[in-house]
């Protein structure tokens, strides 16, 4: 990757600029050296609460307007609080870089805290804790509860979420003091990644951050631990979980003092994760660190989690792990080490060839270790790890004490009770105040011109077997992203349970195949009921091995799994998936005959006709295509029959007692002779694609489709063999009748109203900026082009959209809106806990109950 450009402002603020050629968006991250380890007793969880408050107001961006520039440009913004740092990050179009820097500087300079905002965020944090710890199966495992077994000091052992009741004692004075102590320029690192000029970025950062006064930050806490010499254990119960979960934690070496030893443990952890079960899944889930590798200063822990049958003693699992450490400390592990390193290196390259993850990782490593360059050194450092170093790490773990946390099925939920710590009294007159800004109010800078998005060198061909393929040169890492998308065809659309089972079995075969070759990379097989998607990546050196696995997966083979197993696999479908599966089955009618077995399903679904293959990487496109075609040369398939569809209306109900909110879906085939695809895309944006669309403007607080205040999502996709427009609404049962009357009655008026010039320009801008995410990384380019291929478009979809959107007139938008959304002739789908007779009486229309697909 290109080099990292550094600069330190007079007020102590560090700046890192990481140029990444070819991106249309830019990532901005601000890391502060303050995590939940700095919290004093009695203020557990305050660092996380404070992170939430930093989004809610500052001198020039009051009352939540921080997000305006993010929402208007289809960007993203978020924050995280970990042990030793808090990060805030944004990914926005390059035209909004100045706004992103302005907003980050404004809250570093002068945030505003109100009692209303504090009260709201206390409720929000309490809800997050409930969702993450209380309501989630195995909640609190391993973080935060295992930390209390591993460590003894308050800084390391306490719960970084805190107790919501105790957090309610937080005051505005606490907020001001916390800001004054830790949110100083000299305690922060600003990182910018994207296709930018380092000198230009430095000038912008100086302009926005340079006038923030320097202040001394509070010292970091002492994290020294005495260690422990006996295993520390804790066991809890939880109703409804199917198996006992056991997490084992052991200390990792300090990466700042012993990086080689740390990386040897990382390789060892990956070796453990590569121990797979017969179904191709990892027998043990592993992690270096509670939040990932190199994410905290020492101490941090190597964690192993396993699911075992109920009543399995934890000591049995600990003994098995220690036995494995012992075997690796003495045996020949050359092959295991090589395979683990290959996986880690290719995974690292792939993950950080994205502007957001690269930006955040650089800032994190600089904040924790003053070594942002470590990010690009890690592949080489991992490659230098020797078998002797890994064996030494195994020897260390074999003889070391560990912390063991167990959650097993039980009649009631038990967890550690919150500790009752008391906070120190603030000395009289010692309350801190937020520094007053040195200048008056500032105006949010306007967006600049957005450079035209440009896709890298690419070549499109159609292979001899009919598969459409494209290869694109992009990225800076030795990794190739691959996406193979196949339409499921009538056989798969009629029987989603068979399709789900096929994806499950092929995914297992792919995992086992990659594992046996030890070449790194990933290959997953999934279905959404419409498509069968093969997706993953391979290191350039391991591409042939990856393609050999793909070729094996595409080849029919004997499969013993009974077709009835597929019914259990579709039980966890989302409401939308349930509705779409049922509508496909209704339109196509019953299958002519059941297949003889899963191999027969494979032969009818896994065919190249109508499929597309996308490859994106830092390689010559023609060379890539030749490798792909050679690997898939023997893949042939029978022609699919053209499905006959019924297009009459009506209302179909799929009862689901476990869904209290009701999903209603209205659908329509897009007319083949109507406006072009770009006009339809823009019409979707005008009607309901973004937060300033016509519906919200016309009726604040609603979607404009009625007074109920429900939200409707408008979209377009491919359904069976035709493009479809749809509207989806999810509301409580009592509001469902209003959904039918208001949506269907108002659609003709809503679609036929011409957009005014301001509305049209906003929609144009949003639609093109929304697509720019597809150039953030090779992975996202592959995903975007795969979607374009689904609609019959080529690799140049993004640039064609950019050029064509500016030419579409208001009349074309109206024609596209009326033709696409003006009427919804396909059956309306209702999914949820609702009765057909009641709904029919309420809306005066016939409702047909169906079991779905």
């Amino acid at each position: 990757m290109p080099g990292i450009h550094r600069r330190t402002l007079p007020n102590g603020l560090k700046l890192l600029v990481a140029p990444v050629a070819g991106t249309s968006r830019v990532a901005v991250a601000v890391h502060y050296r303050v995590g939940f380890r700095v919290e004093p007793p009695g203020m557990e969880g305050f660092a996380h609460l404070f992170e939430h408050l930093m989004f809610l107001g500052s001198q020039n961006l009051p009352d939540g307007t921080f997000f305006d520039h993010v929402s208007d440009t289809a960007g993203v913004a978020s924050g995280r609080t970990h042990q030793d740092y808090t990060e805030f990050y944004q990914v926005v179009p390059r035209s909004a870089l100045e706004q992103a820097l302005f907003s980050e500087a404004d809250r570093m300079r002068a945030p505003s805290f109100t009692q209303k905002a504090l009260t709201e965020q206390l409720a929000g944090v309490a809800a997050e804790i409930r969702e993450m710890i209380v309501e989630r199966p195995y909640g609190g495992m391993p973080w935060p509860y295992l930390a209390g077994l591993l460590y003894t000091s308050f800084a390391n052992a306490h719960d970084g979420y805190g107790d919501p009741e105790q957090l309610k004692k937080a005051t505005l004075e606490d907020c001001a003091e916390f800001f004054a102590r830790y949110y100083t320029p000299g305690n922060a690192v600003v990182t910018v990644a994207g296709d930018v000029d380092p000198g230009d970025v430095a000038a912008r950062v100086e302009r926005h951050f340079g006038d923030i006064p320097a202040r001394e930050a509070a010292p970091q806490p002492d994290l020294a631990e005495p260690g422990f010499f006996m295993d520390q254990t804790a066991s809890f119960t939880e109703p409804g979980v199917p198996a006992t979960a056991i997490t084992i934690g052991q200390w990792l070496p300090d990466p700042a003092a012993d990086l080689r030893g740390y990386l040897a443990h990382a390789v060892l952890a990956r070796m453990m994760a590569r121990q797979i079960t017969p179904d191709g899944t990892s027998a043990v889930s592993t992690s270096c660190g509670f939040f990932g590798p190199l994410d905290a200063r020492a101490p941090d822990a190597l964690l192993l989690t396993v699911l075992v049958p109920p009543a399995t003693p934890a000591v049995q699992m600990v003994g098995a792990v220690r036995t494995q450490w012992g075997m690796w400390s003495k045996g020949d592990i050359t092959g295991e080490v090589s395979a683990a390193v290959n996986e880690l290196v290719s995974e690292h390259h792939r993950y950080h060839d994205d502007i957001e993850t690269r930006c955040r990782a650089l800032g994190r490593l600089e904040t924790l270790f003053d070594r942002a360059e470590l990010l690009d050194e890690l592949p080489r450092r991992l490659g230098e790890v020797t078998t002797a170093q890994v064996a030494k790490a195994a020897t260390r773990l074999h003889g070391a004490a560990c912390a063991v946390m167990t959650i097993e099925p039980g009649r009631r939920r038990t967890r550690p009770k919150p500790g009752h710590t008391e906070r120190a009294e603030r000395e009289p007159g010692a309350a801190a105040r937020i520094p007053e800004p040195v200048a008056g109010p500032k105006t949010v800078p306007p967006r600049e011109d957005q450079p035209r998005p440009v896709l890298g060198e690419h070549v499109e061909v159609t292979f001899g077997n009919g598969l459409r393929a494209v290869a694109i040169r992009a990225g800076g890492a030795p990794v190739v992203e691959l996406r193979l998308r196949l339409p499921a065809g009538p056989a798969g659309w009629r029987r989603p349970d068979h399709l789900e089972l096929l994806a499950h079995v092929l995914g297992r075969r792919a995992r086992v195949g990659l594992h046996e070759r030890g070449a790194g990379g990933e290959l997953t097989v999934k279905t959404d009921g419409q498509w069968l998607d093969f997706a993953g990546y391979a290191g350039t050196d391991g591409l042939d091995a990856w393609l050999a696995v793909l070729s094996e997966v595409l080849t029919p083979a004997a499969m013993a799994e009974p077709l009835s197993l597929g019914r259990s696999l579709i039980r966890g479908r989302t409401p939308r998936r349930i509705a779409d599966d049922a509508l496909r089955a209704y339109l196509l009618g019953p299958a002519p005959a059941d297949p003889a077995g899963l191999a027969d399903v494979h032969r009818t679904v896994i065919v190249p006709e109508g499929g597309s293959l996308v490859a994106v990487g830092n390689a010559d496109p023609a060379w890539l295509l030749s490798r792909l075609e050679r690997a898939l040369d023997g893949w042939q398939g029978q022609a699919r029959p053209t499905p006959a569809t019924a297009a009459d209306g009506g209302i179909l109900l799929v009862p689901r007692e476990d869904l209290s909110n009701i999903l209603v879906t209205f659908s329509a085939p897009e007319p083949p002779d109507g406006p072009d695809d770009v006009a339809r895309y823009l019409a979707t944006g005008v009607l309901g694609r973004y937060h300033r669309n016509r519906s919200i403007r016309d009726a604040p607080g609603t979607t404009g489709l009625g007074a109920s205040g429900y939200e409707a999502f408008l979209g377009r996709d491919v359904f069976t063999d035709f493009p479809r427009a749809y509207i989806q609404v999810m509301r409580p049962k009592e509001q469902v009748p209003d959904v039918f009357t208001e949506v269907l009655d108002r659609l003709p008026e809503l679609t036929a109203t011409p957009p005014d010039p301001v509305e049209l320009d906003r929609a144009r801008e949003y639609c093109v900026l929304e697509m720019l995410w597809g150039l953030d990384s090779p992975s996202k380019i592959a995903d975007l082009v795969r979607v374009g291929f689904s609609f019959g478009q080529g690799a140049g979809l993004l640039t064609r959209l950019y050029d064509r959107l500016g030419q579409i007139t208001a009349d074309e938008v109206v024609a596209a809106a009326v033709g696409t959304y003006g009427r919804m002739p396909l059956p309306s789908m209702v999914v949820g806990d609702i009765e057909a007779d009641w709904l029919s009486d309420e809306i005066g229309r016939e409702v047909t109950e169906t079991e779905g697909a």
Side-chain angles (χ1 to χ4, degrees):
M1 296 295 261
I4 301 165
H5 300 260
R6 260 193 181 80
R7 183 172 180 180
T8 301
L9 274 59
N11 59 10
L13 179 72
K14 278 189 177 182
L15 169 65
L16 305 176
V17 183
V20 181
T23 63
S24 290
R25 301 204 302 174
V26 63
V28 176
V30 182
H31 287 78
Y32 294 90
R33 292 183 181 87
V34 51
F36 55 78
R37 279 171 164 168
V38 308
E39 297 165 348
M43 296 188 69
E44 295 92 323
F46 188 83
H48 174 230
L49 170 65
F50 192 86
E51 169 222 313
H52 281 239
L53 290 169
M54 285 288 283
F55 284 99
L56 296 185
S58 55
Q59 181 192 21
N60 301 292
L61 295 169
D63 302 325
T65 54
F66 174 93
F67 286 101
D68 283 355
H69 72 279
V70 179
S71 302
D72 286 346
T73 60
V76 295
S78 191
R80 300 285 187 276
T81 304
H82 287 189
Q83 290 112 307
D84 302 314
Y85 69 88
T86 299
E87 69 172 349
F88 301 91
Y89 61 92
Q90 302 182 40
V91 185
V92 295
R94 272 189 281 167
S95 57
L97 171 60
E98 193 85 1
Q99 294 178 327
L101 294 173
F102 175 89
S103 61
E104 293 294 348
D106 203 56
R107 62 179 171 183
M108 183 185 289
R109 179 186 300 105
S112 59
F113 305 118
T114 66
Q115 187 59 51
K116 178 176 180 290
L118 179 58
T119 301
E120 289 176 351
Q121 289 313 303
L122 283 168
V125 167
E128 181 179 340
I129 294 172
R130 186 169 58 251
E131 177 187 352
M132 299 296 291
I133 302 297
V134 179
E135 297 177 352
R136 175 176 294 188
Y138 304 107
M141 184 180 212
W143 187 83
Y145 296 135
L146 190 66
L149 297 176
L150 279 164
Y151 310 123
T152 58
S153 72
F154 175 82
N156 297 318
H158 81 274
D159 178 353
Y161 264 136
D163 178 8
E165 290 303 313
Q166 184 164 279
L167 273 174
K168 289 180 181 179
K169 300 176 184 178
T171 65
L172 296 180
E173 289 76 14
D174 293 332
C175 298
E177 181 177 14
F178 198 79
F179 177 82
R181 286 174 63 84
Y182 298 109
Y183 280 71
T184 72
N187 209 35
V189 177
V190 174
T191 310
V192 178
D195 197 346
V196 294
D197 174 72
D200 174 67
V201 171
R204 294 172 187 257
V205 170
E206 178 72 47
R207 180 163 62 249
H208 292 295
F209 291 86
D211 66 346
I212 301 175
R215 305 191 315 276
E216 185 176 350
Q220 294 293 310
D222 181 5
L223 302 181
E225 284 281 342
F228 57 95
F229 304 98
M230 295 179 61
D231 292 351
Q232 307 294 311
T233 64
S235 182
F236 310 103
T237 58
E238 182 170 335
V241 295
T244 296
I246 302 173
T247 295
I248 301 170
Q250 293 180 282
W251 283 17
L252 284 165
D254 181 355
D258 182 15
L259 183 60
R260 288 183 179 180
Y262 184 95
L263 295 181
H265 283 71
V267 173
L268 197 61
R270 180 52 59 95
M271 288 166 58
M272 185 65 82
R274 296 188 79 254
Q275 308 300 299
I276 65 171
T277 63
D279 68 355
T281 58
S282 295
V284 181
S285 170
T286 65
S287 172
C288 276
F290 279 103
F291 299 101
L294 298 172
D295 194 79
R297 296 187 291 145
D300 209 352
L302 187 153
L303 307 169
L304 303 98
T305 301
V306 62
L307 295 179
V308 298
T312 301
V315 66
Q316 179 178 324
M317 186 61 206
V318 174
V321 170
R322 284 196 168 117
T323 298
Q324 186 65 74
W325 293 150
M327 292 173 58
W328 281 337
S329 69
K330 299 175 182 178
D332 181 5
I333 55 174
T334 304
E336 290 92 334
V337 169
S338 176
V341 168
N342 284 340
E343 285 188 4
L344 289 170
V345 168
S346 61
E347 184 180 281
H348 178 90
H349 278 310
R350 191 265 186 127
Y351 187 63
H352 294 98
D353 208 5
D354 173 273
I355 59 168
E356 178 193 315
T357 52
R358 179 166 175 77
C359 180
R360 294 170 60 192
L362 289 171
R364 182 186 78 242
L365 293 173
E366 185 71 16
T367 301
L368 295 174
F369 309 113
D370 294 316
R371 290 278 292 127
E373 293 83 0
L374 185 58
L375 184 70
D376 294 329
E377 295 173 6
L378 276 174
R380 174 179 59 82
R381 294 288 192 99
L382 283 166
E384 293 171 352
V385 172
T386 66
T387 55
Q389 291 167 345
V390 176
K392 181 180 177 181
T395 300
R396 171 183 176 273
L397 293 176
H398 178 259
C402 60
V404 184
M405 176 180 173
T406 303
I407 296 180
E408 58 187 354
R411 297 179 63 182
R412 63 187 184 92
R413 188 181 193 274
T414 61
R415 293 294 190 277
K417 294 181 179 179
H420 296 287
T421 56
E422 297 295 332
R423 58 179 300 177
E425 293 291 334
R426 183 180 290 112
E427 296 180 8
R433 298 182 59 187
I434 296 175
E436 293 292 333
V438 296
K442 299 186 177 184
T443 303
V444 179
R447 284 202 297 276
E448 302 171 3
D449 292 336
Q450 176 66 35
R452 182 177 184 269
V454 178
L455 192 66
E457 177 190 357
H458 56 280
V459 177
E460 291 186 47
V461 299
T462 299
F463 293 160
N465 59 7
L467 183 69
R468 187 180 179 189
V470 60
I472 304 166
R473 187 193 294 271
V479 171
V480 180
E481 294 285 340
L482 297 117
R483 306 287 188 272
L484 172 63
R485 166 164 279 188
L486 305 176
W493 295 328
R494 284 188 174 100
R495 293 303 304 264
D497 53 337
H498 295 173
L499 190 62
E500 200 74 48
L501 178 60
L502 181 64
H504 174 76
V505 172
L506 296 185
R508 180 178 65 198
R509 189 192 298 179
R511 288 191 297 271
V512 172
L514 287 180
H515 175 268
E516 290 175 346
R517 286 172 172 79
E522 177 184 75
L523 173 56
T524 63
V525 186
K526 296 181 180 179
T527 181
D528 62 355
Q530 174 67 26
W531 308 97
L532 197 63
D533 282 312
F534 302 76
Y537 67 94
T540 306
D541 293 340
L543 180 60
D544 287 337
W546 193 97
L547 290 172
V549 173
L550 176 63
S551 180
E552 291 173 1
V553 170
L554 297 175
T555 302
M559 290 176 270
E561 289 79 5
L563 292 175
S564 58
L565 180 61
R567 298 297 299 176
S568 64
L569 294 175
I570 64 172
R571 287 176 186 160
R573 293 173 297 171
T574 63
R576 175 180 175 179
R577 174 74 189 274
I578 294 170
D580 285 353
D581 284 349
L583 181 57
R584 274 186 286 263
Y586 175 80
L587 294 177
L588 297 175
D594 284 336
L598 194 56
D600 194 28
V601 177
H602 188 291
R603 280 186 288 271
T604 57
V605 172
I606 309 295
V607 298
E609 178 193 357
S612 59
L613 177 62
V614 182
V616 183
N618 187 18
D620 175 62
W623 174 83
L624 265 180
L625 285 175
S626 66
R627 302 281 286 275
L628 299 176
E629 186 169 24
R630 184 167 64 248
L632 303 180
D633 182 59
W635 179 33
Q636 302 293 327
Q638 59 191 20
R640 289 192 180 93
T642 302
T645 61
D648 57 319
I651 301 171
L652 299 180
L653 167 64
V654 184
R656 286 292 298 264
E657 294 182 357
D658 56 332
L659 298 175
S660 56
N661 280 339
I662 313 301
L663 177 72
V664 183
T665 304
F666 306 98
S667 302
E670 293 188 352
D673 55 351
D676 71 18
D677 193 60
V678 181
R680 289 170 176 163
Y681 177 48
L682 181 54
T684 303
V686 168
L687 292 173
R689 186 70 179 174
Y690 72 115
H691 78 124
R692 293 188 189 274
N693 63 52
R694 139 180 325 181
S695 303
I696 291 177
R697 186 198 68 189
D698 287 349
T702 76
T703 62
L705 294 173
S708 300
Y710 50 76
E711 294 184 1
F713 179 82
L714 284 75
R716 299 168 57 243
D717 60 11
V718 174
F719 198 81
T720 63
D721 63 340
F722 59 84
R724 172 184 71 154
Y726 62 88
I727 301 174
Q728 289 186 329
V729 183
M730 180 169 278
R731 294 308 295 163
K733 172 183 173 179
E734 61 271 14
Q735 295 183 7
V736 171
D738 292 338
V739 170
F740 275 92
T741 56
E742 293 168 3
V743 170
L744 296 181
D745 291 347
R746 192 167 175 208
L747 274 177
E749 171 200 347
L750 191 67
T751 56
T753 304
D756 62 45
V758 173
E759 180 184 27
L760 188 58
D761 286 343
R762 281 178 172 170
R764 282 189 220 275
E765 183 178 46
Y766 184 88
C767 284
V768 70
L769 296 180
E770 181 186 40
M771 300 291 288
L772 296 182
W773 66 269
L775 296 180
D776 285 357
S777 67
S779 174
K780 292 175 181 175
I781 291 172
D783 289 337
L784 179 66
V785 174
R786 175 175 61 182
V787 172
F789 270 25
S790 302
F791 280 91
Q793 305 294 330
L797 171 65
L798 179 58
T799 51
R800 188 174 73 83
L801 275 172
Y802 189 91
D803 295 337
R804 177 82 176 99
L805 277 168
Q807 304 168 1
I808 295 174
T809 66
D811 289 342
E812 289 178 290
V813 170
V814 171
V818 171
T820 305
Y821 293 101
R823 54 186 296 271
M824 297 276 119
L826 294 179
S828 303
M829 301 300 304
V830 181
V831 178
D833 190 6
I834 191 170
E835 302 80 27
D837 291 343
W838 178 86
L839 181 58
S840 179
D841 291 341
E842 290 290 322
I843 63 177
R845 307 182 193 202
E846 183 178 353
V847 178
T848 302
E849 185 173 316
T850 175
E851 293 183 359

